[in-house]
Structure formats: C-alpha cells, structure tokens
Amino acid sequence: MNQPRPQRTVRVLVDGLGDRVFDYALPEGVEVQRGSRVEVPLRNRRTTGTVVALREIGNGEQLKDIALKTITRVLEDESAISPSLMDLAEWAAEYYSTPVEQMLRCVVPESVRSEKHEPKTRKVVRLIRRPSEEELNKMCARAPRQAATMRTLIATEANCTALSELGGGRMLDVCRALEKRGFVNLESESVYRDPAGEEDFALTQPLSLNDEQKVALHSILEAFEAGDSKPLLLQGVTGSGKTEVYLQAAAAAVSRGRGVLILVPEISLTPQTMARFKGRFADKPGLVAILHSAMSDGERYDEWHAIHRGRARIVIGPRSALFAPIVNLGLIIVDEEHDSSYKQESAPRYHGRDLAVLRARLEGAAVVLGSATPSLESIYNAKRGKYRLVRMEHRVDGQRLPLTRVLDMRSEPKDKRLMGLISNRLEQAIAQRLQRGEQCILFLNRRGFARALQCSDCGHIATCEHCSLPLTYHITENRLICHICGYRAVVPAECPECHGRELKLQGSGTQKVEELLKRTFPGARIQRVDADVTTRKNALRDILEAFRSHRIDVLLGTQMISKGLDFPLVTLVGVLNADLGLSLPDPRAAEKTFQLLTQVAGRAGRGDVEGEVVIQTYNPQAAAIQYARRHDTDGFAENELGLRERFAFPPFSHLAVLTVRSVREDVASFAINTLYKRLKTLLPPGAEISEPLQAPIVKAYGQYRYQCVLKAPRARIFSQIVAEQIARLSPGEDVTVTLDVDAYSFM
Ligand code: ADP
Ligand code: ZN
C-alpha cells in the first residue's frame, strides 16, 4: 500500500501586499530555498514573491482542508536573496516595526525584482506645458509630489529628465497623473550603460604606512582573519590617513577572496573617497562597484547583477548599499560613522551603521566604524567593551591641527557694511588669504537670502500656507520659498495683516552672504554651494573641480561641503554662525554642532601652510563650541555623556517618535490622544511615553502633525506593542501614523 508522499510547501511573502503571506505547494522536482523568488497564482492573476519558509507535511499529517495552489515557477536564481540577507531584513523589520516586505524592497531593488530583462531603455519625463504660478501653488496643496516634480522639471536644463532622477519607480504614478493632466510626456529613451563610469582613474600605489596606520590596519586584518565581528571603532583625526588604511584593508580582503562593503554618507558629497578607491583598483576594471541614489534603473540593474555574480567585489555606496548582495562578504567599513545621513528619514526608517554591525555578525565579517568625531553611541559602546577602540591621533603630514579662534559676535560692532555677518577679524583673514593666493571655505547652514520677511509694524511673518514655517526669501528668483514643501509666493508689497508698508528681511542665508562678499572683495572669485545651486546633475562635482584647480578663491556653502574634502590650498575656514543648530529641539543638538565644527575645521591647512579656523558665535561658552575649538573629542564626549546619562537620553536609552499626520487638526489630535491613552496603560515597566504635543513643525505639506516620544532601555520593549496599537487604531484615509525607532529628527 502506498504511503502518501510527504508534501512540501512553501510560505511566500507576496510582493506589494505588505506583510501578507500565503502557502503554496511545491511541485515534484522543484527546488527552492528561503529567499528564492517565485511566481505564484493569487486569486485570478499571477504575481511574484519571496519564499520566507519551507515546510514538509508528511506521513499521517494530511492537508485535508486546504487545497493548496502550486507555485507556477521559480524566478531565475539571479534574484535570490541569501539567507543572511533574509535574516537581516527580518531582524530589521521587527526592530524598526516595519513590514518585512518593505525591508526586502531594499534588498532587491525594483529594477531587479520586476525581472524586466536588461532594460536598455530608460523612462524620460518631458515638460510640455508649464503651469502658472497659481496652478503650481494649488497643486502644491493637493498633490505636493506632483508639484515638486513640476518644479524640478522647470528647473532642469531642457525641461526634461530621467524618471530615475525624479525618484525612480515610486514616482511613476505621479508622472502618469501629470501626463494625464497634460503637463508632461513620458517617453522611453535608450541608454548606453558603461558600468566603469565615464571617468578614467589613474592607478595609485599603496603608500607606506606610518606607525598609527600600521596598528590600525593590523587590528582590522586580525579581526578579518579571525572572522571576528566585534566592531572596531577607528577614531582618527581628519587627515590621519584613515582612507589609506581602508584601501589597504580592502585590498587584503579581496586578495583573500572576500568581498568588501564601504558605506559613505553620500557619494555626491564625498566624491574623493570614491575616486581614491577607483584609482587604487584601476588595474582591475569592474572590481569596484559604485552605488548611488542618482542611478538609473538600468545602471542599478547592471551593478546589482555584477555584485551578485561576484564580479564586483568592492561595493561603495550610501546607506542603501548596505543591502548589496556581495558574495562572501568579509569586511565592512562605515566611513564617517557619526553622519546622520545613515539614518533613513522615510519608511523603512533604518540606521545604516547599526544594520552594518548586524550584517557583519550575520556574515562573519569584520566591521570598522571610522570617524574623527564618532557618535556618542559608538564611543559609549567602546567604553563598555562592545566595540574595540583604535586611535589615530596625528595627521599624516605632521601638521598640527589648525589654530581655532572663537569670535564672540555679541561684542562685535554692528558694522553696517558687513551687517554683523562677517566679523572684522574674519574679513581681514579672508583679505590676507586672497592676497597670498590661498583659498577659503566659509560655512553658513542656511540657504536662501533671508530666513523670513517680517512686518516692522505688527510683527507678522510671512508663513507657508501648507507648512507652519516662515518663507525664505530667495533673491535669485525674487520669491518667497518654503524650504519644506517648495511652495513659492510673490513678495507682497504690504503686510497682509495690518497693511503696513515696511517689510524687513530677517536672518541671512547664503545668498545674502554671497552678495556681501562680492561687494567686499570685488576681485575675488566667489562661489556659492547649496541645494539651490546643485539641482543640476554634476553641478557639485564641477564646482569642486573648479575649486581644486584654483579657479575659485572662496567657497561659500552649507554643510553640504563639510564632508570628506581635501583641498591643500585651503588655509582658512570660517563658520559664520555656529549657533544655528544648537537651539533645535533635538537631544543630539550639541553633538551635531560639535561634529560639524570639528569636521569643518579639519578642512583647513592640509598642505604646507598651517590652517586657521574662525568660529563666529553668539554662545561662545557653549560646550560644543569650546571643545571643538580645542579639537577635544574625548572631552566633549565625556561631558556630553554625563548629561545624557542624567536625562537618560541615548545612548543610555532608545528613543522613538510616534507621529500622527492629518489635514484635519482635530483628527490628528484625536488619534494621537487615543494612542497615547492606550499605550500609557499597555507599556511595560521601563518604557515611558511623553504626553502628546504638536510637533515642532506644526504643519507640513498641509498636514497637521502631533507626536509622542517613547523612551526605553531597549527599543524592543515597546516597538511591537506600538505597532499593534497603530494597526488597531485603523485610522481613516486622512490620518497617517508612523513610528521612527532610534529617531534622529524630532521636528
Ligand atoms: P583621513 O581619511 O583620515 O581624513 P586621508 O586618508 O584622506 O585621511 O589622508 C590625508 C592625506 O594624507 C591624503 O592626501 C593621503 O593621500 C595622505 N596619506 C595618507 N597616508 C599616508 C602615508 N602613509 N604616507 C603619505 N601620505 C599619506
Ligand atoms: Zn510649505
């Protein structure tokens, strides 16, 4: 008598349905694994999904009631997800309380997932009718993403751009809607993809390391050989030669047949790191893969497969590169590990550095976190022995760190000419550099011309209709612009409240300083760099190139130019207003200010001439500023950790922000209060929830925002409970609820 054969079944997470899983039978002779991509029948269509579990139902146990459908086919192996990446995605989904499916979308990008073979064409969006300003503002209220797309198109050359430049597949619906309304055409354009990139890189040889570098490299290779995933915190001052250590560690890993992942804050902001890797391995074309956010679907498809097949062994990219399918991964390097761009600010809200540490553990890889100003989380982990600390305290060129002066702007005479923006001391310093043919970098973390337009009679401030923030005046367009949603308004002739005619511009931005500098130094070549100048592709690269070849004397910019740049002729760095970040409602405000100032100061004096840094401030005594003046990272960390411990702030706890958004204020307020009341009674001991409040940015994109902050020794204590309560709230269409675990933004 025939024993019924054991039946093999698979559980499939179907694409595009959140966390819904379905069971299917596996036909005879078909092999799959966890992570395999399959095609399955669902209702009366076929769709794709990922195998998340396998089961065998055998002997005796019967599948009586369920007549399982059978999977229709296994998609090519090429797109299968490795078991450790499956684990990473599942772990992250639980920790950040986000659907697994959403994490898997990071692991297998859309262009690979849809299995549309080798898309040698790309979608291009062309503007065919330019909306009036009035239409645009209306659109901004009803369909902010459509409005943003229109603005990008209006601003780009030839009014035409690739869909990938606008945000890729997720913007397709938005563009289709615009096409229907007659504003744009969607076209297909064929592209030639050169995986090696457009540039040639000259081969560089490894440098002979100094003692500190040798120790650092040795520690990394020791961990690498042992498959020890205990993170190494490489704390090395700017210019101590960390990148050279990374290059040699990567070369060693590759020569032993292992893959390497290098995370950087953002490729366009750190072009030199990328160029140095390309140069060092220039004799092995295709070995280094660069991933970045501005890639077209086709480029992404090519790079993904080159990595998956093991052709590209070294992968460099921003946080999303964390999920690259690197074969036999042996080494992960997180450069500038303190950088807040590692935290994704839209769903899934993961932290790239933290997941890198986890991925290393899952794959038995060594992991290096490098920075001149490590995050307090990492410093604390090193103090309590979870990370191993390696220091590099000297600059390679033997240079001392630049001389740093803090200028108290309160006692600076309010000179009409320089408007209290540039002190006399800084003015003289700039003049001196110009005379000597050296270069300067000036920082101001605010773009636009003036922060706000205020009525001198009644004090009314022009505010965005959709967001609760003042509109910033932009002189180049002579418009008031919202820095959140992009809304534009004409500058009014009189105050809309009291009809007063004296409207004053308050608070200066980069455009204002640019004007001032050009007036003060008429002969100097001055270039502004901020989000407004760099909308065009490659604009930033071209500017940096011009600065490097000394076709620019003074570079004036936002924090955009504070990272990883190395210009030997820069001998002066000026920070125009060091206070801008200090007053933000953010537990990391002091840390971020300290890091920014220290990083910025590291840009001065890398050649033969000693550098000078001038920090202008209205809070000269602030700890962040004083410790930055002395380049004292340890002192700052000690002081700040003391404060954080007292208030049980991170790293002594984990914070999460629960935000409710709605166009109706009463609805948002009701929803947050409901959540708050339920959570208050449900949270286990150790977890706290703050009373609901309006978010610091009360309204954005026309939606009111309310939030609570959760705090606990470990995020896992609350994340599942909160997720359940969000699900149970089943809010209407007009409410969105999000939970941001380990939040970096509290606005
Ligand atoms: P960091 O990444 O710590 O800021 P870099 O690796 O950029 O430092 O090094 C600063 C400069 O010193 C670079 O121009 C680099 O080429 C050079 N450099 C690094 N290591 C050495 C070395 N061992 N000998 C000579 N020059 C070096
Ligand atoms: Zn706005």
Side-chain angles (χ1 to χ4, degrees):
M1 179 174 163
N2 266 347
Q3 274 280 354
R5 276 175 182 258
Q7 180 170 10
R8 298 180 307 155
T9 70
V10 288
R11 180 153 289 182
V12 175
L13 182 69
V14 171
D15 292 349
L17 291 180
D19 261 353
R20 302 271 299 277
V21 289
F22 299 88
D23 288 331
Y24 292 91
L26 199 58
E28 199 73 25
V30 173
E31 290 306 325
V32 294
Q33 288 180 333
R34 214 167 132 252
S36 293
R37 302 269 304 150
V38 291
E39 188 185 79
V40 293
L42 186 73
R43 293 182 203 106
N44 46 15
R45 64 191 174 102
R46 281 180 185 182
T47 183
T48 50
T50 309
V51 174
V52 289
L54 288 88
R55 270 198 310 165
E56 245 177 41
I57 299 171
N59 307 337
E61 195 184 348
Q62 290 284 333
L63 286 167
K64 291 195 249 25
D65 311 326
I66 349 153
L68 282 185
K69 287 186 183 170
T70 307
I71 65 167
T72 31
R73 94 193 152 94
V74 181
L75 301 183
E76 61 172 319
D77 271 359
E78 287 281 302
S79 58
I81 301 167
S82 73
S84 50
L85 279 174
M86 282 298 289
D87 290 343
L88 183 71
E90 285 176 355
W91 188 96
E94 193 189 332
Y95 186 85
Y96 294 107
S97 75
T98 199
V100 178
E101 213 261 324
Q102 201 166 44
M103 291 310 308
L104 287 177
R105 279 182 180 277
C106 302
V107 177
V108 186
E110 205 55 48
S111 55
V112 176
R113 173 181 269 257
S114 53
E115 229 201 4
K116 288 191 192 79
H117 279 291
E118 312 275 336
K120 287 263 197 273
T121 61
R122 61 173 189 174
K123 281 224 155 51
V124 176
V125 187
R126 188 182 303 281
L127 182 74
I128 50 171
R129 183 167 80 77
R130 198 184 169 125
S132 68
E133 192 112 311
E134 202 189 324
E135 276 179 299
L136 253 182
N137 283 338
K138 249 192 221 149
M139 197 187 282
C140 191
R142 294 200 197 120
R145 295 206 299 165
Q146 288 185 20
T149 306
M150 291 310 287
R151 294 216 158 97
T152 313
L153 279 175
I154 292 169
T156 36
E157 277 170 81
N159 297 144
C160 172
T161 185
L163 183 66
S164 57
E165 298 281 303
L166 295 167
R170 66 194 170 82
M171 295 302 287
L172 191 59
D173 286 348
V174 173
C175 294
R176 289 227 169 98
L178 284 169
E179 189 174 41
K180 255 200 197 130
R181 298 176 64 183
F183 289 117
V184 306
N185 260 348
L186 267 169
E187 302 158 8
S188 279
E189 184 186 276
S190 59
V191 281
Y192 168 67
R193 285 174 276 156
D194 174 11
E198 330 136 35
E199 285 168 85
D200 270 337
F201 296 89
L203 182 66
T204 63
Q205 295 302 325
L207 302 168
S208 85
L209 300 182
N210 64 29
D211 290 347
E212 283 186 336
Q213 286 176 311
K214 277 185 196 150
V215 171
L217 180 63
H218 181 75
S219 315
I220 296 171
L221 294 184
E222 213 174 41
F224 168 77
E225 299 286 357
D228 180 358
S229 308
K230 178 168 172 164
L232 277 158
L233 178 59
L234 182 57
Q235 182 178 340
V237 298
T238 29
S240 58
K242 297 185 290 294
T243 311
E244 182 63 32
V245 173
Y246 303 155
L247 285 165
Q248 299 197 15
V254 169
S255 74
R256 288 164 179 74
R258 305 291 296 271
V260 181
L261 170 65
I262 293 138
L263 295 183
V264 292
E266 171 58 55
I267 296 286
S268 63
L269 302 183
T270 51
Q272 291 180 26
T273 308
M274 187 267 293
R276 282 168 72 181
F277 272 89
K278 279 281 190 191
R280 185 59 55 86
F281 300 100
D283 56 340
K284 303 181 185 75
L287 186 77
V288 179
I290 308 281
L291 300 174
H292 54 86
S293 43
M295 283 168 102
S296 69
D297 281 354
E299 286 169 332
R300 200 176 298 280
Y301 182 96
D302 287 354
E303 291 291 42
W304 199 90
H305 282 289
I307 298 164
H308 196 272
R309 289 181 192 135
R311 224 166 24 86
R313 309 289 304 154
I314 300 177
V315 176
I316 307 182
R319 59 170 186 266
S320 57
L322 168 74
F323 301 101
I326 302 170
V327 180
N328 198 7
L329 182 63
L331 176 64
I332 302 181
I333 290 162
V334 184
D335 191 21
E336 309 289 4
E337 68 89 26
H338 65 279
D339 199 285
S340 46
S341 72
Y342 284 123
K343 174 74 166 140
Q344 177 145 307
E345 293 294 355
S346 58
R349 297 181 165 74
Y350 64 90
H351 196 296
R353 175 202 58 218
D354 296 348
L355 288 189
V357 168
L358 176 69
R359 184 167 183 194
R361 194 161 75 221
L362 293 172
E363 308 220 12
V367 54
V368 182
L369 311 179
S371 174
T373 52
S375 63
L376 285 182
E377 278 81 0
S378 295
I379 290 179
Y380 179 62
N381 278 328
K383 272 185 192 295
R384 57 182 182 152
K386 282 183 79 176
Y387 294 178
R388 192 174 306 131
L389 180 65
V390 180
R391 285 170 181 278
M392 290 169 49
E393 294 179 334
H394 301 96
R395 287 168 66 146
V396 170
D397 49 16
Q399 276 266 350
R400 274 178 295 139
L401 287 166
L403 181 68
T404 304
R405 243 182 265 281
V406 173
L407 274 185
D408 185 351
M409 293 300 277
R410 292 171 308 181
S411 51
E412 185 69 18
K414 279 271 177 299
D415 186 319
K416 261 246 166 341
R417 193 171 50 93
L418 296 171
M419 335 244 329
L421 285 171
I422 299 177
S423 60
N424 286 326
R425 179 77 200 75
L426 184 56
E427 184 195 2
Q428 283 162 20
I430 298 171
Q432 196 184 45
R433 293 327 187 281
L434 290 172
Q435 208 172 30
R436 295 207 298 241
E438 295 165 11
Q439 292 176 298
C440 318
I441 302 183
L442 300 178
F443 284 92
L444 179 61
N445 243 349
R446 179 190 286 150
R447 65 194 172 95
F449 188 85
R451 179 177 45 93
L453 184 71
Q454 188 169 34
C455 169
S456 306
D457 294 331
C458 72
H460 171 82
I461 289 180
T463 309
C464 175
E465 283 178 27
H466 318 292
C467 310
S468 58
L469 283 197
L471 292 165
T472 301
Y473 177 61
H474 284 236
I475 197 168
T476 45
E477 291 134 304
N478 190 27
R479 285 283 183 278
L480 294 169
I481 302 178
C482 172
H483 280 189
I484 294 190
C485 74
Y487 170 83
R488 271 148 207 258
V490 216
V491 182
E494 55 172 41
C495 171
E497 291 288 314
C498 75
H499 305 289
R501 303 201 59 99
E502 205 179 323
L503 300 176
K504 281 219 168 108
L505 292 169
Q506 306 282 356
S508 304
T510 44
Q511 292 181 351
K512 169 93 201 176
V513 176
E514 181 188 22
E515 189 190 271
L516 208 63
L517 285 170
K518 286 190 166 151
R519 225 181 312 133
T520 315
F521 305 106
R525 295 162 299 176
I526 294 159
Q527 174 67 51
R528 174 166 59 89
V529 192
D530 54 29
D532 299 313
V533 207
T534 55
T535 45
R536 185 176 61 81
K537 196 180 175 183
N538 292 338
L540 180 63
R541 202 190 62 188
D542 295 347
I543 292 173
L544 294 179
E545 194 39 53
F547 191 55
R548 172 171 305 282
S549 50
H550 206 171
R551 280 175 280 139
I552 294 168
D553 300 308
V554 180
L555 201 60
L556 161 71
T558 54
Q559 88 260 41
M560 190 175 260
I561 47 173
S562 69
K563 300 173 190 184
L565 304 175
D566 176 8
F567 301 105
L569 273 181
V570 174
T571 56
L572 173 70
V573 167
V575 180
L576 299 187
N577 186 346
D579 310 323
L580 280 180
L582 276 179
S583 54
L584 295 178
D586 178 347
R588 293 187 185 83
E591 180 183 350
K592 287 177 182 165
T593 300
F594 174 81
Q595 287 161 345
L596 181 69
L597 293 179
T598 310
Q599 294 284 341
V600 161
R603 307 290 143 239
R606 286 186 144 201
D608 322 318
V609 195
E610 193 177 354
E612 179 184 354
V613 179
V614 176
I615 298 176
Q616 301 188 154
T617 172
Y618 287 89
N619 295 289
Q621 291 316 318
I625 292 174
Q626 283 303 324
Y627 284 109
R629 179 175 71 78
R630 298 196 291 266
H631 308 283
D632 184 0
T633 300
D634 293 346
F636 175 75
E638 183 120 342
N639 181 65
E640 183 68 13
L641 279 175
L643 292 171
R644 300 270 185 97
E645 184 163 27
R646 184 129 53 87
F647 297 108
F649 275 150
F652 300 92
S653 66
H654 289 263
L655 298 182
V657 179
L658 179 65
T659 306
V660 174
R661 297 181 175 79
S662 174
V663 284
R664 287 184 48 198
E665 182 162 19
D666 54 339
V667 172
S669 154
F670 180 77
I672 194 82
N673 277 295
T674 311
L675 277 170
Y676 170 74
K677 277 182 220 138
R678 292 188 189 159
L679 287 170
K680 186 93 188 139
T681 56
L682 288 170
L683 285 176
E688 294 168 32
I689 180 167
S690 72
E691 301 233 344
L693 283 177
Q694 280 190 325
I697 296 173
V698 179
K699 187 179 167 196
Y701 294 102
Q703 294 187 313
Y704 290 89
R705 299 142 51 93
Y706 278 83
Q707 56 185 218
C708 291
V709 177
L710 291 127
K711 175 153 102 177
R714 281 175 303 113
R716 280 167 181 277
I717 296 186
F718 57 70
S719 54
Q720 281 315 105
I721 298 174
V722 178
E724 278 163 31
Q725 290 309 311
I726 292 176
R728 281 192 51 187
L729 188 70
S730 58
E733 289 257 302
D734 51 351
V735 189
T736 348
V737 187
T738 54
L739 179 68
D740 184 3
V741 176
D742 292 341
Y744 268 63
S745 168
F746 296 79
M747 301 297 278

